[in-house]
Amino acid sequence: MEQSKIDRISQLTRIARQRELTEEEQQERQALRREYIDSVKQSLAGQLDNTVIVDPQGNRRPLKPRGPVN
């Protein structure tokens, strides 16, 4: 996710502490939050896909897939 979008989420959160957000601002913040959460999940899934377990004998094996991240 682009830093400008993360900054916008922070900006909307600061505004929400000062006054109630308009309907458009609420929808924008919700959409940006969803995009952020989805990008974090995708990044984590990618890291786990490339993670291996090394046993005491030095054998390397990939983690077993557990299914989609919700």
Side-chain angles (χ1 to χ4, degrees):
M1 175 175 234
E2 301 157 13
Q3 185 62 42
S4 61
K5 290 182 179 182
I6 294 171
D7 293 342
R8 180 64 178 153
I9 294 170
S10 297
Q11 181 183 26
L12 289 168
T13 300
R14 282 191 299 276
I15 293 170
R17 290 183 186 139
Q18 297 171 359
R19 64 166 171 84
E20 189 171 328
L21 295 176
T22 65
E23 185 65 31
E24 294 82 22
E25 289 171 332
Q26 289 176 5
Q27 290 174 358
E28 178 186 9
R29 184 171 70 165
Q30 186 62 32
L32 288 169
R33 284 178 169 177
R34 173 56 34 210
E35 185 178 341
Y36 177 77
I37 290 168
D38 292 343
S39 71
V40 169
K41 285 181 179 180
Q42 185 178 7
S43 175
L44 178 59
Q47 288 178 350
L48 291 175
D49 287 343
N50 293 312
T51 300
V52 295
I53 302 296
V54 180
D55 65 22
Q57 293 79 27
N59 298 320
R60 298 169 56 96
R61 59 184 171 86
L63 288 177
K64 295 178 185 174
R66 295 191 63 176
V69 178
N70 292 329

